[in-house]
Amino acid sequence: MKPTSIISLVVAVVLVICGLVTCMTAQNMAQSNGEYLFSEIGTENNVRTVDISESDFSKIELIAENVEINIYGRQEKSYIEFINFRDHYYSLSQSTHVLSFDEIPDVMSMLKFWENGFSFKGMRYIFNIGDDKVYENQEKVINVYLQIDTNIKIFDIKSDYCTLNIENMTSETDYNILSKEITVNTTSLRTNSSFNINNSDDVTPADVVNLNFNSTTLTNVNVNSKEIYMNTKLFRYNGEVNFVCDDGLFDLKTVTKTQRLNFDVTSESGKVTVEGAEVRSPYTHTGNESSKAILKIESKNAEINIASDIISSDDK
């Protein structure tokens, strides 16, 4: 055998050994971080399913771009579907009481460096690569199905562009959302916890927030956006509800009669009406001094309309 061939053979063996050591090390790192090395969830027709019916998660983190997220309560079984995500472009991990899904936007983002060095994100980003054309022009969707007794305390959602649909959720759950443009549609939602969109001093306001609340009862609400468009039907608030924006339209139909509501609304140049009658901004109304529930809207140009939707039994 020629010397060059021997050298090539030795180099090849060394590379194989290094590769095996790297994979073993990576596997241990991934397992210690609660992450999957290879795709270990059911896959069919671009739908990946994770069964969480036997899990004790109290927090779900979802990070994805241009996505529709659907959260359904009162289901027979708890599971999550990830639809049209390239399986080598996301991280699905679990730690104590937390399930995290993090979409990787591009190849360079797969390699993440921290102060402590390289953070291994899973060999499935290198291997297990499917036909990317299958996912072209396909809408990405995350469906979360939860049983009635599922103890999810927090949803953390980060997405620059998102549609969020929530149905039949009556748990004590915080919804923390960070987005540029988001549409939120709720039906039969009730929470005594918090509902927040871009609510932080170190976070810039969202560009546009569309809120469509149907048969929804909220307690602590904070929404900060350049534009807010809000439409409600059978809406009730039990705590402090804060909206801050420049422009927009608020068409609020409340379950409680407006005479019994507490609200403080301001629109510097926009029109404010209560039960169809125009009032001067800023306008403050105290209908129930013993209640801590108050609606606050602070805007420059938004149009604000507040009216009763129906008369509930406790308002008659």
Side-chain angles (χ1 to χ4, degrees):
M1 183 178 293
K2 297 181 179 180
T4 54
S5 299
I6 297 176
I7 294 174
S8 298
L9 180 62
V10 172
V11 171
V13 172
V14 171
L15 290 175
V16 170
I17 295 174
C18 290
L20 292 174
V21 171
T22 300
C23 285
M24 294 176 63
T25 303
Q27 183 177 17
N28 292 331
M29 293 173 65
Q31 290 177 349
S32 65
N33 290 329
E35 298 194 20
Y36 303 95
L37 262 179
F38 298 94
S39 181
E40 296 180 354
I41 53 182
T43 303
E44 184 176 357
N45 297 327
N46 300 340
V47 179
R48 290 152 176 83
T49 303
V50 179
D51 186 350
I52 60 172
S53 57
E54 302 298 327
S55 304
D56 61 347
F57 299 123
S58 59
K59 180 178 180 180
I60 296 178
E61 299 176 338
L62 301 174
I63 303 175
E65 298 304 320
N66 298 307
V67 64
E68 175 182 321
I69 299 176
N70 302 302
I71 302 174
Y72 304 108
R74 304 177 192 171
Q75 301 295 305
E76 294 182 357
K77 185 178 180 180
S78 294
Y79 62 98
I80 305 178
E81 293 176 334
F82 302 97
I83 302 174
N84 294 325
F85 287 91
R86 293 188 294 179
D87 58 353
H88 54 291
Y89 275 79
Y90 65 80
S91 170
L92 180 64
S93 62
Q94 64 183 62
S95 59
T96 305
H97 307 303
V98 179
L99 176 67
S100 298
F101 176 88
D102 189 351
E103 183 183 19
I104 309 299
D106 50 53
V107 175
M108 295 303 299
S109 298
M110 293 179 187
L111 302 178
K112 294 187 176 181
F113 291 85
W114 307 95
E115 292 181 359
N116 295 330
F118 177 72
S119 175
F120 181 75
K121 300 301 295 180
M123 288 297 291
R124 69 169 179 275
Y125 301 132
I126 302 174
F127 304 110
N128 195 27
I129 298 178
D131 186 1
D132 292 343
K133 293 183 179 179
V134 174
Y135 301 94
E136 288 182 355
N137 301 321
Q138 297 294 316
E139 182 180 7
K140 292 179 292 187
V141 180
I142 300 175
N143 294 323
V144 182
Y145 301 89
L146 298 174
Q147 295 172 300
I148 296 177
D149 57 350
T150 303
N151 190 30
I152 302 298
K153 296 296 185 183
I154 301 174
F155 271 101
D156 275 353
I157 297 172
K158 296 180 182 180
S159 176
D160 281 351
Y161 304 95
C162 177
T163 297
L164 173 62
N165 302 309
I166 306 175
E167 295 183 12
N168 299 322
M169 287 291 292
T170 56
S171 59
E172 302 304 309
T173 303
D174 287 334
Y175 299 88
N176 300 317
I177 302 166
L178 184 62
S179 182
K180 289 183 179 178
E181 295 184 13
I182 185 168
T183 295
V184 180
N185 305 304
T186 67
T187 302
S188 298
L189 168 66
R190 181 184 180 92
T191 178
N192 290 327
S193 297
S194 297
F195 189 97
N196 303 308
I197 300 179
N198 289 44
N199 177 41
S200 178
D201 293 337
D202 58 349
V203 173
T204 59
D207 290 335
V208 181
V209 172
N210 296 287
L211 302 172
N212 301 294
F213 291 158
N214 182 23
S215 299
T216 294
T217 299
L218 300 175
T219 302
N220 299 308
V221 179
N222 295 280
V223 179
N224 187 7
S225 177
K226 296 176 183 177
E227 298 180 28
I228 299 177
Y229 300 92
M230 183 175 182
N231 181 64
T232 71
K233 182 179 180 180
L234 305 181
F235 177 62
R236 185 194 297 269
Y237 55 91
N238 294 327
E240 187 167 309
V241 178
N242 294 285
F243 297 96
V244 179
C245 66
D246 292 333
D247 297 295
L249 172 62
F250 293 82
D251 190 8
L252 306 180
K253 301 294 194 304
T254 69
V255 172
T256 309
K257 289 187 291 187
T258 53
Q259 294 92 325
R260 297 190 59 186
L261 293 174
N262 300 328
F263 51 89
D264 183 359
V265 298
T266 300
S267 184
E268 296 177 8
S269 61
K271 183 179 178 181
V272 178
T273 60
V274 178
E275 295 293 354
E278 187 172 354
V279 298
R280 179 177 293 182
S281 172
Y283 184 79
T284 300
H285 177 76
T286 302
N288 187 350
E289 295 182 352
S290 63
S291 174
K292 296 182 179 179
I294 183 170
L295 168 68
K296 296 182 179 180
I297 301 175
E298 181 180 344
S299 174
K300 293 181 179 180
N301 309 307
E303 181 178 335
I304 303 171
N305 306 308
I306 302 174
S308 300
D309 199 356
I310 65 170
I311 299 177
S312 61
S313 58
D314 61 347
D315 291 328
K316 293 180 179 179

